[in-house]
Amino acid sequence: MATESRRAARVLSTVLLLAPFIGFPSRWIAERHGRVVDIELGGINEDNYAAVGYAAVENPDTGAVDAVVLLLRHDPEAGSDRYRIKDMSEVEGPMVDYCPERILDQLTPTEDVLAAHWRDRCRERAAEIGRTSAFTMNS
């Protein structure tokens, strides 16, 4: 029972943290990378980041669907409720590799070595932990 309470508290804190950003990442990614096919956001405690997002994004020029990773970091210099977002494409070889299989399954096959390696790491991680998401756009 205590474990369930801790999990519920973690989920609630993630919801409260990310609530202001629901919808925002999709618009921001679309402006920078292309149409968002699917996106997932979740809390993370890695290298001073508070949240991570994974998006399947359709390239407007080629129609290929690639992954974009978002890292959300608190920015205390800008204010207590301000955050910075760092985005990167899968071809940059992101270090965070918790992308859900649902997102990975929507990506166009790639021959890019870094992107393929990142996708493999994400699938291995997903198999290890069998994750459930706190936020999804298309679930």
Side-chain angles (χ1 to χ4, degrees):
M1 190 61 153
T3 302
E4 287 298 316
S5 296
R6 282 193 298 270
R7 183 176 189 283
R10 241 185 4 255
V11 169
L12 178 60
S13 65
T14 301
V15 168
L16 293 174
L17 170 71
L18 297 176
F21 301 99
I22 302 303
F24 168 75
S26 294
R27 291 187 305 272
W28 191 76
I29 294 169
E31 290 173 7
R32 295 174 57 93
H33 297 280
R35 185 179 73 84
V36 176
V37 176
D38 196 358
I39 188 169
E40 179 169 317
L41 301 171
I44 189 171
N45 184 16
E46 188 166 316
D47 194 30
N48 296 321
Y49 289 99
V52 64
Y54 299 97
V57 179
E58 183 178 16
N59 181 312
D61 298 326
T62 65
V65 178
D66 300 310
V68 172
V69 178
L70 297 171
L71 293 168
L72 182 75
R73 172 182 275 167
H74 183 246
D75 184 8
E77 293 176 12
S80 62
D81 62 345
R82 300 292 183 179
Y83 293 85
R84 291 181 186 239
I85 295 179
K86 177 180 180 179
D87 66 318
M88 67 192 83
S89 170
E90 64 180 328
V91 299
E92 296 176 70
M95 293 303 297
V96 290
D97 54 9
Y98 294 92
C99 185
E101 289 182 297
R102 183 189 85 251
I103 302 285
L104 295 169
D105 290 344
Q106 297 177 67
L107 305 179
T108 302
T110 184
E111 294 191 17
D112 184 272
V113 174
L114 288 176
H117 180 66
W118 178 79
R119 291 178 186 189
D120 289 344
R121 287 191 350 254
C122 290
R123 288 195 186 278
E124 289 170 11
R125 175 84 67 172
E128 287 174 11
I129 61 178
R131 227 170 48 85
T132 58
S133 65
F135 296 101
T136 61
M137 184 171 92
N138 297 326
S139 60

